[in-house]
Amino acid sequence: MSLAGLFPIDKWNFKTQSILNNLPENESAGLLPYMQEQRYGKGEIIFREGTRASGIYFIKKGKVKKYQVDQAGKEQIIYVANTGELIGYHAILAEEPYPDSAATLEESFIAFIPKENFLNVLENSTELPRRLLKTLSHEFTVLTNSISVFAHRSVRERLAISLIVLREKFKAETPEGKDIFINLSRSDLANIVGTGHENIVRFLSEFKAAGIITTHGRKICVKDIRQLVKISGYGNV
Amino acid sequence: MSLAGLFPIDKWNFKTQSILNNLPENESAGLLPYMQEQRYGKGEIIFREGTRASGIYFIKKGKVKKYQVDQAGKEQIIYVANTGELIGYHAILAEEPYPDSAATLEESFIAFIPKENFLNVLENSTELPRRLLKTLSHEFTVLTNSISVFAHRSVRERLAISLIVLREKFKAETPEGKDIFINLSRSDLANIVGTGHENIVRFLSEFKAAGIITTHGRKICVKDIRQLVKISGYGNV
DNA sequence: TAAGAATTGTGATTTTTTTCAATTTTAAAA
DNA sequence: TTTTAAAATTGAAAAAAATCACAATTCTTA
């Protein structure tokens, strides 16, 4: 079933189109030869908040958490980037250190593009800045939306929202017709929702008891998405 | 005294440089003649979330809250824009409806630039897209930072942070050496911090009793900013 | 000026969330 | 497979925050 009209999934995803795909040939020619693909094991750090940015990263396959760690050592996941998304460009465009850290949530294949090549193409491109402006502006919508949710919604609601959003992300790699499994540690889930892992477990138990989800080990399968939408607070508007 | 080294004030402000100031003459020539300045009374709405964007707004003088209202009717202020800042460009660049609403917090003078003129200059400019990319990327830092804070910090900490940030915003219009007064309704303050006005009042009383602030009617004067920084959680790292 | 409305402030109660302490289960390594 | 470590789960207590009810003050405006 589609979420269209039920849940504003677009307000939770950065990606509208792929930034690098189908660039005019003369522009992609400045990038493709310099892309160095690399395999990252699960949980590997790609870059660290506060460090100098040396390039951007294109996720060819995999999932990456973008997160900040506060002074108390608590991790907050800002966004989960999926296959096809570009990361690391904020630091370079803002001429600032990385505003957040990035680490893989599963085995991933990621291509690195050195800063110089990226900036060089950006200088001489008309399409790339346009796409970046569009993407960055849409990201504003997403982050703004997140702030409202963190400021006002309960943990239970936020978990429901997160499950809906994550389901979409894990949907991409699931064969048509098969069950979609959200495969994340409880801690990662807690750091997305912004609470402790104990609370996550509690509400997952509740959802399980209500028949909304099933769990298979750590993997979560959403069985009644309408119910989740309802809990999320978006359903009954 | 300076906040440098004590508190990351840059992580709370969008503005790094003015986007429109000192543009090359041939570029500003496409904007300035079309700018229509208008006076807004306190509390007037400039644009509404979800509506079609017809242009951008330049705050010549005044303060504007950017906010979202959730399905329960609760308002969350995402950002307070000050004199010299540009608003409304996200919607146009993302080709989406306004992601948030904007309303004045005090009497303001704001110039409107029609979408067509803005896009026209953007097409033919090299400097404007560069500045917008930089500003938007920096905004990512700011919003990302806000998310972490909303997700993990207590109301008391968030109020302390907000007072430090707001003090900087009200500083701009305060003559050198004079006391800086934060002049906001308790509700607006509550909607910045993300709580009810009762909680704001309670913590303000506490801060007052501790000699950290004084109040003069609704106006708040910060007397001991070091103490505020300490409460904010940034001081003792 | 007085009436009414809006804002500010206080107290008490309820709900939510966090934290602490264990136990069970699962995953990883020898 | 056994051992060990890590992750998931449950329960109870403490702390934080939201909510409700209402009083006091300030602001509007008739």
Side-chain angles (χ1 to χ4, degrees), chain B residues 154-155 195 202:
Chain B
S154 69
V155 169
T195 186
R202 262 185 266 279

Side-chain angles (χ1 to χ4, degrees), chain A residues 74 154-155 195 198-199 202:
Chain A
K74 285 188 187 170
S154 68
V155 170
T195 187
E198 302 98 326
N199 293 319
R202 262 185 265 280

